[in-house]
Amino acid sequence: IGDLSPMTALDTARPIRDIRDGMYPVGVRSPDPKLNAHSKTGVLMYDRPFLLQFQDIVIQRPPRLATLEQLSGL
């Protein structure tokens, strides 16, 4: 991420239009393509190992991100 703070990086990130077109830097594992083989445009799923590789980089929760409780309906 370089000199950008995590929130600045999120604020300037571009949406992924097609997960199959994703190019990742060396050392970054891509998401499991099977999860999105039949996904609708703009609706993507990411596997746990893909997300966990960023846990030490992105340490702030975006304000619009739902909590786990909201997602699971608890």
Side-chain angles (χ1 to χ4, degrees):
I1 294 182
D3 293 333
L4 296 177
S5 71
M7 290 308 294
T8 302
L10 288 173
D11 292 338
T12 60
R14 295 180 313 229
I16 297 172
R17 303 284 183 220
D18 185 347
I19 193 130
R20 294 170 291 269
D21 290 340
M23 297 293 293
Y24 297 94
V26 173
V28 175
R29 179 187 165 287
S30 66
D32 182 351
K34 293 181 280 184
L35 290 175
N36 296 294
H38 304 289
S39 69
K40 298 176 187 175
T41 301
V43 179
L44 301 174
M45 295 180 65
Y46 300 96
D47 55 290
R48 184 176 180 86
F50 173 78
L51 295 173
L52 287 176
Q53 69 186 337
F54 303 109
Q55 70 183 348
D56 294 330
I57 299 168
V58 181
I59 56 174
Q60 293 178 305
R61 175 182 287 279
R64 299 177 306 270
L65 184 64
T67 65
L68 292 176
E69 291 79 16
Q70 290 169 324
L71 293 174
S72 64
L74 297 176

